[in-house]
Amino acid sequence: MVVDDEPSIRDLLSASLRFSGFEVLTAADGQEAVEVAERASPDLVVLDVMLPDLDGLEVAKRIDAPVLFLTARDATEDKIAGLRVGDDYVTKPFSLEEVQARIRAVLRRTRVEGAPATRLKVADLELDEDSREVWRGGRQVRLSPTEFKLLHYFMVNAGRVLSKAQILDHVWNYDFGGDAGVVESYVSYLRRKVDDVEPRLIHTLRSVGYVLREPPPAG
Amino acid sequence: MVVDDEPSIRDLLSASLRFSGFEVLTAADGQEAVEVAERASPDLVVLDVMLPDLDGLEVAKRIDAPVLFLTARDATEDKIAGLRVGDDYVTKPFSLEEVQARIRAVLRRTRVEGAPATRLKVADLELDEDSREVWRGGRQVRLSPTEFKLLHYFMVNAGRVLSKAQILDHVWNYDFGGDAGVVESYVSYLRRKVDDVEPRLIHTLRSVGYVLREPPPAG
DNA sequence: AAACGACCTGAGGGTTAGCTGAACGGTCAC
DNA sequence: GTGACCGTTCAGCTAACCCTCAGGTCGTTT
């Protein structure tokens, strides 16, 4: 369930989550949120801390589901003192990558399912979502936060062609105003750090985008 | 639904889409677009970002359908801020091939996850619309963007004779001023890259056009 | 068979998309 | 404060690409 009073954020999140295969309900204020949650028993609630009627933390108390809070960046730590075990938070403005990663992490922790694989693997490139570690050919590689998010997005969508606009929309914060040049820079960084050996996995499709894929067996 | 204030663009698009079997409604400004969309619930909206009354992004918010934006090339922002998941965009001047490809991609993504085949196949020539990969006789072939668009147009219209004028109209941007000689050049490139083995698939019909087809079984 | 038009293709020039090193400013830990 | 790290922008460069052109080939007509 997605709870936010701004329609644009609500739509952004619910569309993105539906696309990823989640079933999504929405609410625009705390009152509605509590009602819907009672009826539908969602597995997880994405909840804006700043709501017109009730405080988000207050809402969380009345909901029997793990919560992923959305908070303003300048919110000091004590603001989220109401975090229960299993909850988590993301600061606005977020990127879709960020939110989805946190959602999956929360669900993983609260679900009974015993240790589902958090390892992504493409050829000899491996990424652990939990520990945020990355290996290429057995050798561990250190990545900055943005590099990690970008690589994660690539690996989740391995084999699919991604345009720079798509990448910008998912990996960068939704209010990022710059141009797509920054994507080129980060692809360059990633290539140097994790794609400097054969077989090359990150491929450029001129004037189309990028794709991470294992080259076909018979070249 | 097609929304653009320039009649020439509107007609170009709607005629081309109708010919391809789509049912098309049109609107000339944002106000009309919102009204028509409300009444008719289109499956997809092709929407010029620059409209006389409302901003295209504003219109998109009020429409409950995936959107394919038309933007000017010189819009330096490679990031369309309002781009929701499932939306896409094409820069002006576009080619009809481009627009139709994007439309199909958006519909494919938003329709039920019925994994429809995105593979075109003629004899031992195969083309994947998603990954933009092409194989001839199992061997992968690298094509430039224009080569790919041309081959795609051929394959979608396999067995149909295409005049150079038709090809120019569909594969090249609508403002292309050059002559049809360029088509000959690109057919030549394609022959070298994907039609250098028997059976030959691209055939010249002198003073008529070209056709991509499998030769009849018995000579 | 000659003449003509249509087509093929190699070569070349102008253009553009993408790559990357460098620089700048911000943030955070110490 | 100070330094390390990070995110972003920018500009020069390169390689890929698009288009044109011209000389040659091939088919058709006279």
Side-chain angles (χ1 to χ4, degrees), chain A residues 164 188 191 204 206-207 210:
Chain A
K164 281 187 253 191
S188 175
R191 281 190 167 132
T204 302
R206 197 184 165 82
S207 78
Y210 298 94

Side-chain angles (χ1 to χ4, degrees), chain B residues 50-206:
Chain B
M50 295 283 282
L51 289 174
D53 54 345
L54 290 169
D55 181 27
L57 299 174
E58 191 54 42
V59 175
K61 280 187 198 159
R62 307 192 193 171
I63 288 179
D64 183 28
V67 171
L68 181 67
F69 290 101
L70 303 178
T71 79
R73 161 141 317 178
D74 55 8
T76 46
E77 296 181 39
D78 265 327
K79 167 150 173 150
I80 313 292
L83 213 59
R84 298 161 303 180
V85 180
D87 292 348
D88 201 353
Y89 71 100
V90 168
T91 59
K92 285 185 180 184
F94 48 77
S95 69
L96 296 175
E97 258 295 291
E98 193 109 52
V99 174
Q100 297 229 1
R102 299 295 176 101
I103 285 179
R104 284 176 209 283
V106 169
L107 288 177
R108 207 182 304 134
R109 284 201 299 264
T110 53
R111 283 278 165 75
V112 188
E113 295 274 346
T118 66
R119 278 277 175 100
L120 297 174
K121 202 167 185 175
V122 174
D124 62 345
L125 174 63
E126 292 180 64
L127 179 149
D128 188 307
E129 296 177 312
D130 273 342
S131 66
R132 302 182 63 91
E133 290 171 310
V134 172
W135 300 265
R136 179 69 198 261
R139 186 180 231 87
Q140 186 166 358
V141 181
R142 257 187 81 252
L143 297 183
S144 82
T146 304
E147 288 162 2
F148 181 86
K149 277 199 283 187
L150 176 58
L151 180 61
H152 183 257
Y153 185 55
F154 270 132
M155 292 187 76
V156 166
N157 295 285
R160 199 170 308 169
V161 177
L162 305 170
S163 72
K164 280 187 253 191
Q166 262 178 305
I167 294 171
L168 222 40
D169 281 343
H170 283 82
V171 176
W172 269 259
N173 295 340
Y174 60 74
D175 71 341
F176 178 69
D179 74 314
V182 71
V183 176
E184 297 173 13
S185 282
Y186 273 87
V187 168
S188 173
Y189 297 153
L190 276 190
R191 281 187 166 134
R192 194 176 341 170
K193 288 191 176 180
V194 306
D195 207 22
D196 55 346
V197 294
E198 299 299 337
R200 306 294 158 138
L201 301 175
I202 302 176
H203 307 280
T204 303
L205 297 174
R206 199 181 166 76

